[in-house]
Amino acid sequence: PGADADKTVQGIDANQNGIRDDVELAIFKEYPNSAKTRAVLLQYALALQMEMTQPFVNTGTVGAVAEQVSRGYLCVGKIISREDMSKYIEVSDNLRNFVETRQLNTESRKKVQEKFYESLESGEVPSGVSCDIDVNILEN
């Protein structure tokens, strides 16, 4: 992808799966041996990309996207043991930061995200299922 990936706020999504190609490739490169990690990070990346690609932004759209971002954020934590909470926090923060730093890698993307959430009136953490797929069926 290279520099072309950063020419627009939306970036390049050649396979049209909703995830920017450079972010998707970084996830696969960093976590080649963990289907669970890739699955949760791709879900989170997809949700974050929604902030950049909405053709029409109003309180309803922002609320719906914010819910998907919350679901993705929570899903990342589903693959990490909570036996040692300090390790859980460290590992889950590192995984989320891996996606966030790649997804929001330009000032223009950070500004779009900030402006996007100006229309958010209220928020709630979604209850129920946070992961789009059952991560328990995936190997490691």
Side-chain angles (χ1 to χ4, degrees):
D4 286 345
D6 296 333
K7 283 186 178 177
T8 65
V9 170
Q10 296 82 8
I12 299 170
D13 180 16
N15 62 0
Q16 298 183 342
N17 65 351
I19 302 165
R20 234 177 50 224
D21 294 345
D22 60 313
V23 176
E24 184 176 3
L25 291 171
I27 290 168
F28 274 86
K29 182 178 179 185
E30 187 72 17
Y31 301 99
N33 301 317
S34 178
K36 284 184 182 185
T37 302
R38 289 192 309 271
V40 300
L41 294 184
L42 290 169
Q43 178 179 333
Y44 191 42
L46 173 64
L48 291 173
Q49 181 67 2
M50 288 178 188
E51 300 166 345
M52 306 292 140
T53 59
Q54 297 307 307
F56 184 72
V57 177
N58 61 23
T59 56
T61 303
V62 174
V65 170
E67 183 173 322
Q68 293 307 310
V69 171
S70 293
R71 287 182 67 244
Y73 183 94
L74 293 171
C75 183
V76 171
K78 296 286 186 188
I79 64 166
I80 304 160
S81 168
R82 294 180 189 225
E83 214 170 283
D84 177 345
M85 283 309 285
S86 62
K87 184 175 182 184
Y88 167 83
I89 292 167
E90 179 186 345
V91 172
S92 59
D93 283 351
N94 286 341
L95 288 172
R96 291 179 188 112
N97 288 336
F98 180 85
V99 173
E100 292 164 7
T101 57
R102 284 155 182 81
Q103 189 66 40
L104 301 169
N105 65 332
T106 66
E107 283 306 309
S108 57
R109 288 179 176 138
K110 290 174 188 171
K111 286 179 183 170
V112 166
Q113 183 190 50
E114 189 176 306
K115 183 164 177 44
F116 182 79
Y117 282 109
E118 287 175 1
S119 298
L120 186 63
E121 291 183 344
S122 65
E124 61 183 62
V125 176
S127 59
V129 179
S130 55
C131 294
D132 289 340
I133 65 168
D134 181 358
V135 294
N136 296 318
I137 65 170
L138 301 174
E139 291 186 32
N140 79 37

